[in-house]
Amino acid sequence: MKKVLLSLLMLAGLGFAASAQTEGAVNKISVGPDFALPIGKLADANNLGFGGSVQGELNVAKSLNLTGSAGYLSFSYKKEIKDAYKSIFGVELKNDGIIPLKVGAKYYFGGNFYGAGEVGAAIATGEGSGTAFAYSPTLGASFSVADKSSIDLGIRYEGWARNSSSVSFIGIRAAFAFGL
């Protein structure tokens, strides 16, 4: 995890050095990997989550974009959870995936930096699984690397709530954005 964070910080530093212009709010589509560090109840049974996402941004004001995103995340179970499940039920515990579908807004302040918020649904892919309400406030930065391309780095708190239960994680996204 430390190596991932150091790599992202180095990328951010390179983005500062390469970015002579202000990114700001423009129409774009970004694609990239997602990393999820479970916290709370999710951390009790799961290790680091991995996946990817695509996000579209539609500029509606000078510093404001509406967003829509879709992705896939998979969390691996901790070894002791897998072993306990196998000894009790006699079957292997498989990693299930989650498909988050969210909409929201991203506000650019100070040029490259932004704050964002999205809400939507987190759809579990496992047998007998359901759908949860998803919410994610984000802080990030977008650095131009070419005329209509940028690197987008964001860190978010994401929660999934269903019935009276909820789980959450800290998400990190490093994406390549294509201006439209």
Side-chain angles (χ1 to χ4, degrees), residues 2 14 23 32 36 47 52-53 56 60 65 69-70 74 90-91 115 128 156 158 167 176:
K2 287 181 184 178
L14 291 174
E23 176 61 26
N47 294 313
S53 61
V60 293
N65 283 358
S69 63
S74 178
V91 293
R156 71 185 182 279
E158 186 157 336
V167 295
F176 188 80

Side-chain angles (χ1 to χ4, degrees), residues 16-36:
F16 274 122
S19 178
Q21 64 186 30
T22 300
E23 176 61 26
V26 296
N27 295 333
K28 58 184 150 184
I29 294 176
S30 62
V31 178
D34 279 287
F35 304 95

Side-chain angles (χ1 to χ4, degrees), residues 65-81:
N65 283 358
L66 296 181
T67 63
S69 63
Y72 181 83
L73 280 171
S74 178
F75 291 90
S76 61
Y77 289 101
K78 290 183 176 179
K79 183 180 180 340
E80 57 269 19
I81 300 296

Side-chain angles (χ1 to χ4, degrees), residues 63-138:
S63 298
L64 182 66
N65 283 358
L66 296 181
T67 63
S69 63
Y72 181 83
L73 280 171
S74 178
F75 291 90
S76 61
Y77 289 101
K78 290 183 176 179
K79 183 180 180 340
E80 57 269 19
I81 300 296
K82 283 183 173 183
D83 292 345
Y85 194 86
K86 186 171 184 177
S87 69
I88 294 169
F89 299 108
V91 293
E92 292 285 330
L93 188 59
K94 296 179 182 176
N95 297 340
D96 291 331
I98 303 289
I99 300 170
L101 302 172
K102 301 177 286 187
V103 296
K106 185 182 279 189
Y107 181 78
Y108 287 86
F109 53 91
N112 298 55
F113 300 95
Y114 63 82
E118 289 188 306
V119 296
I123 305 163
T125 62
E127 189 174 320
S129 299
T131 301
F133 172 71
Y135 54 95
S136 59
T138 304

